[in-house]
Amino acid sequence: MNSLDLRKLGKLGFGGAGIGNLYRAIPDGEALATVLAAWDAGIRYFDTAPHYGLGLSEQRLGAVLRDKPRNEFVISTKVGRLLEPNTRGGQDPEGFDVQATTRRVWDFSEKGVRRSIEDSLERLGLDHVDIAYLHDPDVHDLQAGITQALPALEKLRSEGMVRAIGVGINSAEAALECVEAADLDLVMLAGRYTLLEQPRVPLLERCAERSTGVVSVGAYNSGLLARPEVPEDAHYNYSQAPPDVLERARALAAVCRNFGVELPTAALQFPLRHPAVVNVTAGATSPEQVSINAARMEATVPDELWEALEGVGR
């Protein structure tokens, strides 16, 4: 298993998709100030990926972190997509407001996994990353991920190129297949164990049994739970939230309000109530968002609220 003490991740991590210009462009100065705000707030776990802004997130994150003491922070990136030159130009077609000077190419081979890490280190300006996740095997080719990419990551860990390995994934069912097939240190699970979605997730129980840590991302369910009051135009799973989902979210907000707690505070803290979850990582695109997330994570939530929220709206 890994040589990384998962307690070093802390309760709250910084997600780097936003500073890769997800949905909208952010000036370099604002992006770098956002990363610095995370550092100043005591956050020491930072996650990124080549996918995020065609490498822009890695470049911006590295610009700040390479001036920090290397033993004081944990950084993760992802493998599975290589960035190749793109002669067609234009805007990135996958949701990031950047020029498409490169294009993403899926590659789950050992050669591709190694090259992905090497390319990421160059963009970051660091000599190593702590954690490497296989990115979205459920989207591309789960079996290739299990038979090719995960063994390659295990090999890299045994060689000391990375300290810990895992999968970054949207499907709890696919994540469970990966956990059973490989010796994973971490699962980064997006949006599938949240205050809105409180299922009995076999994945979490299995991760607890195997001492595989779970990093929870998407705790706000694409912004649906990000505000104390849920507006009509709230998003869920990156689309307009349907009426029944809005109703469930508002029911949660009402219960929180009765206990003097804001909905997003409960949403951010909820995943940590499961013993398998070691960290909640949240994105930010401004220093103010970082400060708000940090304050929410430290806010006091009475146990009675968690009891009252069980199964609300379902």
Side-chain angles (χ1 to χ4, degrees):
M1 291 289 283
N2 72 88
S3 60
L4 177 66
D5 183 351
L6 299 183
R7 290 174 297 182
K8 289 190 69 175
L9 275 61
K11 291 188 296 184
L12 181 63
F14 178 86
I19 62 167
N21 287 1
L22 181 62
Y23 303 134
R24 67 182 182 89
I26 302 168
D28 281 338
E30 183 80 355
L32 300 183
T34 301
V35 179
L36 279 171
W39 183 272
D40 292 342
I43 293 171
R44 293 296 182 267
Y45 173 47
F46 300 85
D47 176 67
T48 183
H51 175 55
Y52 302 158
L54 295 170
L56 180 62
S57 173
E58 290 181 319
Q59 292 166 0
R60 286 172 160 176
L61 200 57
V64 174
L65 293 182
R66 57 176 164 260
D67 291 332
K68 303 299 182 184
R70 186 62 188 88
N71 64 344
E72 291 188 13
F73 64 88
V74 175
I75 187 167
S76 59
T77 192
K78 304 182 181 74
V79 303
R81 293 174 174 92
L82 295 174
L83 301 183
E84 300 284 5
N86 179 27
T87 58
R88 300 179 66 179
Q91 285 291 112
D92 177 40
E94 297 199 29
F96 294 88
D97 190 356
V98 295
Q99 288 292 306
T101 56
T102 58
R103 60 188 179 89
R104 302 167 183 84
V105 177
W106 290 103
D107 192 334
F108 282 6
S109 70
E110 180 177 342
K111 181 179 179 181
V113 167
R114 286 183 180 275
R115 187 190 138 191
S116 184
I117 295 293
E118 291 165 356
D119 289 353
S120 289
L121 290 176
E122 185 172 343
R123 288 187 291 267
L124 287 161
L126 299 174
D127 61 358
H128 71 280
V129 294
D130 300 287
I131 305 164
Y133 295 107
L134 175 60
H135 205 179
D136 294 336
D138 52 326
V139 173
H140 177 53
D141 187 336
L142 181 59
Q143 288 311 304
I146 288 172
T147 60
Q148 298 178 43
L150 293 184
L153 284 175
E154 288 178 312
K155 191 172 182 180
L156 264 57
R157 182 183 57 192
S158 70
E159 295 171 0
M161 191 170 181
V162 296
R163 299 171 65 193
I165 63 171
V167 292
I169 203 162
N170 293 282
S171 165
E173 294 75 19
L176 182 57
E177 288 192 53
C178 293
V179 168
E180 297 291 5
D183 181 19
L184 301 184
D185 306 300
L186 289 159
V187 170
M188 178 172 275
L189 184 63
R192 298 286 74 81
Y193 184 69
T194 69
L195 187 62
L196 186 76
E197 302 181 26
Q198 304 177 32
R200 298 290 182 184
V201 183
L203 167 68
L204 298 186
E205 309 307 323
R206 189 65 175 129
C207 284
E209 292 170 1
R210 293 177 63 95
S211 298
T212 300
V214 175
V215 174
S216 174
V217 295
Y220 295 139
N221 282 112
S222 303
L224 178 67
L225 309 182
R227 287 166 281 193
E229 303 297 332
V230 181
E232 283 293 328
D233 62 351
H235 283 75
Y236 170 68
N237 282 353
Y238 306 104
S239 300
Q240 169 63 43
D244 63 315
V245 173
L246 287 173
E247 183 179 346
R248 286 164 51 203
R250 286 168 176 160
L252 292 168
V255 175
C256 290
R257 194 162 49 247
N258 289 339
F259 284 85
V261 175
E262 292 188 340
L263 174 63
T265 295
L268 196 64
Q269 292 191 26
F270 171 78
L272 287 168
R273 293 183 55 74
H274 195 287
V277 177
V278 297
N279 173 274
V280 175
T281 287
T285 56
S286 69
E288 292 75 19
Q289 287 182 3
V290 170
S291 298
I292 290 169
N293 284 337
R296 287 171 176 168
M297 183 57 80
E298 295 304 319
T300 299
V301 176
D303 289 338
E304 293 80 9
L305 173 58
W306 299 123
E307 296 169 6
L309 285 170
E310 287 185 11
V312 170
R314 289 191 293 147

